[in-house]
């Protein structure tokens, strides 16, 4: 009888421990960090399809979508810390309600334009330096199985090298990051001047010819200007990465990207 009571107590204590551990982990995840898988190639080669990361939801304080509770005391408040140009940020699309990840390029009041593929901020050209090529195999990537785009849209066979030109762009605040170019002369290479409204931000994908971002209006499926309250958090580091259709396919893991800082 005593042995049965002891077993019951062990079960209850174990259950309570697991319950509180899961509850704390859930609260921690909900309030502070959000997991995010990279589903597309719009941020290559900074982020690759199959990269897994945690979004720091406290990087800028709580916004409309970083706080999950309607009763959250921070809901609706202005961000306590302003995002910086060059930050890689996850935000909620203002129209389709999906989560996107792009690089912050334009701050409120900035004038943003592209001329022949070069970024201009407030009338000044942002320097780009050639940095070789980004080469990846031409094969299906991630669970969706998309094929990558190659330089000048030149067709290559499955398994062959898919090449893109790579540059290092230096933003006015000194942030350096990699960008890719596939084909010259696409719509996004030459744009009108965008003036970022107060309380909004302008986002661009690092894979410049393969990103539906703020250069494209929301009416045609683009991101357009993103209001402050739609920001979720900053992406700081890749935790895990897999090139395959499932993270269980260990032979497709990319160990060189584990815990890689996002620049």
């Amino acid at each position: 009888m005593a042995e049965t009571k002891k077993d019951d107590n062990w079960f209850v204590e174990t259950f309570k421990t697991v319950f509180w551990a899961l509850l704390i982990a859930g609260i921690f995840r909900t309030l502070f960090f959000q997991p995010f898988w990279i589903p597309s190639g719009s941020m290559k080669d900074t982020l690759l399809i199959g990269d897994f990361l945690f979004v720091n939801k406290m990087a800028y304080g709580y916004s409309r979508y970083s706080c999950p509770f309607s009763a959250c005391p921070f809901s609706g408040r202005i961000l306590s810390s302003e995002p910086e140009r060059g930050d890689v940020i996850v935000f909620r699309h203002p129209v389709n309600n999906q989560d996107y990840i792009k690089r912050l390029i334009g701050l409120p009041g900035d004038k943003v334009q592209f001329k022949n593929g070069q970024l201009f901020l407030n009338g000044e050209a942002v320097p780009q330096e050639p940095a070789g090529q980004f080469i990846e195999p031409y094969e299906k990537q991630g669970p969706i199985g998309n094929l990558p785009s190659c330089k000048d849209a030149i067709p290559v066979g499955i398994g062959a090298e898919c090449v893109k030109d790579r540059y290092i762009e230096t933003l006015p605040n000194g942030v350096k990051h990699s960008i890719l170019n596939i084909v010259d002369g696409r719509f996004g290479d030459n744009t009108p001047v965008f003036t970022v409204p107060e309380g909004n931000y302008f986002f661009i994908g690092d894979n410049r010819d393969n990103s539906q971002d703020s250069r494209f209006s929301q009416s045609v499926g683009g991101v357009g200007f993103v209001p402050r309250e739609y920001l979720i958090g900053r992406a700081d580091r890749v935790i895990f990465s897999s090139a395959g259709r499932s993270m269980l396919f260990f032979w497709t893991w990319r160990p060189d990207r584990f815990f890689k800082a996002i620049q």
Side-chain angles (χ1 to χ4, degrees):
M1 194 75 175
E3 188 67 29
T4 301
K5 185 176 181 180
K6 181 179 179 181
D7 290 343
D8 289 344
N9 288 339
W10 176 88
F11 176 80
V12 170
E13 290 302 316
T14 301
F15 177 82
K16 287 166 61 177
T17 299
V18 172
F19 171 80
W20 285 111
L22 292 175
L23 180 63
I24 293 171
I27 293 174
F28 188 79
R29 172 205 179 279
T30 302
L31 293 179
F32 301 109
F33 295 95
Q34 175 175 314
F36 191 86
W37 283 96
I38 303 301
S40 74
S42 69
M43 283 294 292
K44 291 178 181 178
D45 63 336
T46 303
L47 296 171
L48 304 181
I49 294 175
D51 282 351
F52 175 78
L53 49 88
F54 281 102
V55 180
N56 181 359
K57 299 174 75 172
M58 288 297 292
Y60 312 120
Y62 277 113
S63 66
R64 176 179 176 182
Y65 286 101
S66 62
C67 178
F69 307 118
S70 59
C72 176
F74 298 96
S75 288
R77 292 190 179 181
I78 295 175
L79 302 186
S80 59
S81 176
E82 287 298 317
E84 296 184 8
R85 200 189 313 276
D87 286 355
V88 176
I89 296 175
V90 173
F91 56 90
R92 186 67 53 85
H93 192 288
V95 176
N96 66 27
N97 214 34
Q98 295 180 350
D99 291 348
Y100 279 56
I101 185 166
K102 306 287 182 188
R103 189 178 299 275
L104 175 59
I105 294 296
L107 302 173
D110 278 346
K111 295 184 183 299
V112 184
Q113 185 179 23
F114 280 84
K115 298 179 183 179
N116 298 320
Q118 183 159 22
L119 171 64
F120 284 73
L121 284 173
N122 301 315
E124 298 291 330
V126 175
Q128 295 178 359
E129 300 177 9
Q133 295 178 321
F134 172 66
I135 301 174
E136 59 185 337
Y138 186 74
E139 56 188 25
K140 293 181 178 181
Q141 299 178 342
I144 299 176
N146 289 333
L147 290 167
S149 299
C150 307
K151 181 178 178 179
D152 297 327
I154 298 174
V156 298
I158 296 295
E161 290 186 344
C162 181
V163 177
K164 300 173 182 63
D165 290 330
R166 185 173 182 267
Y167 298 85
I168 298 298
E169 188 172 75
T170 304
L171 298 174
N173 60 351
V175 172
K176 295 179 180 289
H177 64 99
S178 172
I179 62 172
L180 300 181
N181 180 60
I182 302 172
V183 179
D184 293 331
R186 288 192 173 176
F187 173 79
D189 288 343
N190 292 281
T191 72
V193 176
F194 300 97
T195 300
V196 185
E198 188 62 33
N200 285 259
Y201 297 95
F202 194 95
F203 289 92
I204 298 289
D206 289 347
N207 191 1
R208 293 285 165 82
D209 291 327
N210 191 26
S211 177
Q212 285 289 101
D213 45 44
S214 292
R215 293 171 295 177
F216 304 93
S217 70
Q218 296 165 1
S219 63
V220 297
V223 168
F225 300 122
V226 179
R228 184 192 313 253
E229 62 266 26
Y230 285 80
L231 305 189
I232 294 175
R234 187 182 64 219
D236 295 323
R237 190 174 296 274
V238 174
I239 303 301
F240 173 83
S241 184
S242 173
R245 296 178 62 87
S246 169
M247 64 178 295
L248 299 178
F249 297 170
F250 64 87
W251 57 91
T252 67
W253 291 359
R254 306 182 183 110
D256 59 316
R257 298 188 64 78
F258 292 5
F259 304 104
K260 180 180 176 65
I262 297 173
Q263 298 178 332

